[in-house]
Amino acid sequence: MPKLPSYLPMRVPLLDLGEQYRALSEPIREAIHDVLASNRFILGPKVQAFEKAICGYCNAPHAVGVSSGTDALLAILMALGIGPGDAVITTPYTFFATAGCIARVGARPLFADIDPETYNISPSAIRECMEKNCEVDSEGASRTRSGEKVRAIVPVHLFGLCCEMDALHEISERFHLDLIEDAAQAIGSEFPFGETTAKAGTMGEVGFFSFYPSKNLGAAGDAGMIVCRDETLARRLRTFREHGMGPRYFHHVIGGNFRLDEIQAAILGVKLPFLERWAAARRAAADFYCAEFARVGLTGIITPLAAPYRDRGLTNHHVYHQYVIRVPMRDALREHLDKREIETAIYYPLGLHEQKCFAYLGYKKGDFPETERAARETLALPIYPEISREAQRYAVDAIAEFYGSQLANQPKTT
Ligand SMILES: *Cc1c(COP(=O)(O)O)cnc(C)c1O
């Protein structure tokens, strides 16, 4: 019989935002009240202050508050003039919005497979994709076989771990591509870039964050932020954020309403000073999972790489937006954990190249084997800054219980 935990069963949610709010409820209520009393609801002082705070936190020259991570990418692509006749390289193993925005501006998403250890887009897969699908035209631009001009790479720092930005930078320079960082899941994550350590979002031309409530820095609704180096691009982004308007009621480009709400900025401004502490707590929880898997002897579980580039003298700072393991019999394990009231999630069950809405791109099953394998084998366990060690131990015991019974039930193989 597998050993059962010695304490009472408990319910372990994937994410619990309750404690965070209890700790900050007073300053958050005050900040909301300030906005209501000020009658400044759109692009007021709270948005300005929060943009400035993000610049300071990330060491980014410019920050533009927007309505969501999705709208951030949409505005970026519009401001860079990427549209019909263009192609943009990205990963098929990400949240839909990354490729959705590329398609919405009329450009073609060009997928490159992931690295199986980091789950991030693989630089060598991008090089292969360029060699296989693209040719350099007479003007030195890379074009796909169907004639689209390759304009940009959108790497996604998935689950809170930075992509190999040095390699991606090299590729983008070589092929004259813009590097647009999808840092929606990775605010605060770092990478040893050039001479210093840089924060996610600040290593390409432009990057963006999402403040969707469940992200590491969550708003009370939808919100996002763009960071960039170039002042002209920042000005363009501000214009696109407000219907391409400037001065008022004079529109020289077609933008949209991509504004960050004053109330959301006020709430996020209260939370930002705690982000580093929360990231450290997430890292401690990740370390504890590792120690617990070792304690119960679960050596077959592949835990997230914390510093994947250590062999090259590079350290890396994971912020564990998700704690994703790779396991055998994933779906049966998930069912077992569900019975034990331990909530898990699958990010993501289907690669974007296999999504129905992208059928017109002409990809098929088997095109991105590492993405497809990750979609079959990975499972996200509960993680958030305040998660208790008891809850984590309970989850690991339940996983050990599952594999213990599985091994006992399995016919012996030789
Ligand atoms: C959350 C997310 C987005 C979109 O952000 P929203 O604020 O929800 O619009 C984009 N890309 C990735 C990788 C995300 O996780």
Side-chain angles (χ1 to χ4, degrees):
M1 273 300 285
K3 230 173 76 201
L4 286 167
S6 54
Y7 35 80
L8 290 174
M10 57 178 102
R11 210 185 73 76
V12 186
L14 194 62
L15 168 70
D16 183 354
L17 294 169
E19 198 171 316
Q20 188 186 91
Y21 181 59
R22 281 190 291 278
L24 295 177
S25 65
E26 243 177 73
I28 286 176
R29 278 172 211 231
E30 246 169 60
I32 293 173
H33 175 77
D34 281 354
V35 175
L36 294 175
S38 77
N39 280 312
R40 299 278 311 267
F41 297 112
I42 301 293
L43 299 184
K46 298 281 191 192
V47 168
Q48 264 190 13
F50 182 55
E51 286 175 343
K52 208 169 154 224
I54 286 287
C55 285
Y57 176 74
C58 296
N59 193 21
H62 305 282
V64 181
V66 288
S67 35
S68 68
T70 305
D71 287 345
L73 182 53
L74 197 58
I76 290 168
L77 294 168
M78 290 168 89
L80 291 173
I82 293 174
D86 294 333
V88 176
I89 297 170
T90 194
T91 165
Y93 193 57
T94 175
F95 178 58
F96 169 78
T98 316
C101 291
I102 296 169
R104 273 172 73 193
V105 297
R108 166 180 288 266
L110 206 54
F111 294 123
D113 209 356
I114 56 166
D115 176 304
E117 295 200 306
T118 62
Y119 305 113
N120 283 332
I121 195 166
S122 149
S124 60
I126 297 179
R127 286 189 208 102
E128 254 166 57
C129 163
M130 295 290 287
E131 274 158 31
K132 217 171 91 194
N133 304 307
C134 305
E135 276 162 7
V136 178
D137 70 10
S138 56
E139 279 149 29
S142 296
R143 290 197 179 266
T144 64
R145 299 246 182 271
S146 36
E148 292 109 347
K149 188 174 176 182
V150 185
R151 293 286 309 277
I153 306 175
V154 183
V156 179
H157 307 306
L158 201 69
F159 307 141
L161 179 68
C162 280
C163 295
E164 283 179 74
M165 288 307 290
D166 45 359
L168 296 181
H169 202 263
E170 218 176 276
I171 295 171
S172 62
E173 295 267 286
R174 188 169 127 215
F175 294 101
H176 313 291
L177 309 176
D178 284 325
L179 196 50
I180 304 167
E181 292 176 70
D182 181 338
Q185 302 185 1
I187 188 165
S189 179
E190 292 174 351
F191 188 83
F193 195 69
E195 306 287 294
T196 57
T197 297
K199 284 246 195 297
T202 66
M203 292 172 272
E205 266 69 45
V206 53
F208 67 92
F209 308 115
S210 162
F211 305 123
Y212 183 80
S214 66
K215 297 282 159 78
N216 286 23
L217 179 62
D222 282 304
M225 183 71 70
I226 301 169
V227 287
C228 70
R229 262 187 260 147
D230 182 54
E231 193 179 337
T232 311
L233 179 59
R235 215 174 306 125
R236 266 177 84 71
L237 287 164
R238 286 181 199 285
T239 306
F240 273 92
R241 172 174 71 174
E242 268 216 298
H243 301 291
M245 187 163 73
R248 207 167 177 77
Y249 305 128
F250 290 86
H251 304 261
H252 42 105
V253 287
I254 301 170
N257 174 357
F258 306 136
R259 294 178 303 242
L260 170 62
D261 274 346
E262 192 74 357
I263 283 191
Q264 298 300 348
I267 294 168
L268 290 163
V270 172
K271 288 187 173 191
L272 180 61
F274 298 90
L275 186 58
E276 286 289 295
R277 214 171 305 169
W278 292 335
R282 283 174 182 270
R283 265 179 229 124
D287 289 345
F288 189 72
Y289 268 132
C290 270
E292 283 292 285
F293 286 133
R295 174 182 64 84
V296 297
L298 280 172
T299 48
I301 286 184
I302 298 171
T303 55
L305 282 187
Y309 319 120
R310 216 168 347 209
D311 58 329
R312 287 159 32 198
L314 306 178
T315 53
N316 205 337
H317 236 159
H318 204 313
V319 292
Y320 295 100
H321 171 58
Q322 301 295 350
Y323 187 85
V324 173
I325 57 176
R326 189 193 284 271
V327 291
M329 298 177 279
R330 192 262 321 262
D331 292 334
L333 170 64
R334 186 166 192 229
E335 243 171 74
H336 174 78
L337 294 178
D338 193 51
K339 277 191 213 121
R340 292 278 177 272
E341 294 203 80
I342 298 159
E343 200 182 348
T344 59
I346 296 171
Y347 303 111
Y348 298 89
L350 190 64
L352 294 184
H353 64 293
E354 290 189 78
Q355 297 288 352
K356 201 170 168 188
C357 66
F358 288 136
Y360 74 95
L361 294 173
Y363 291 110
K364 59 185 186 309
K365 194 177 176 65
D367 281 348
F368 302 104
E370 290 303 342
T371 292
E372 291 167 32
R373 199 161 67 84
R376 279 195 309 270
E377 298 179 348
T378 61
L379 189 66
L381 299 183
I383 195 160
Y384 49 93
E386 303 83 3
I387 192 169
S388 73
R389 297 296 172 257
E390 290 71 29
Q392 289 187 274
R393 177 162 292 167
Y394 177 68
V396 170
D397 279 333
I399 295 170
E401 177 194 19
F402 171 77
Y403 286 112
S405 66
Q406 282 302 317
L407 291 177
N409 293 339
Q410 266 177 18
K412 265 218 170 78
T413 52
T414 45

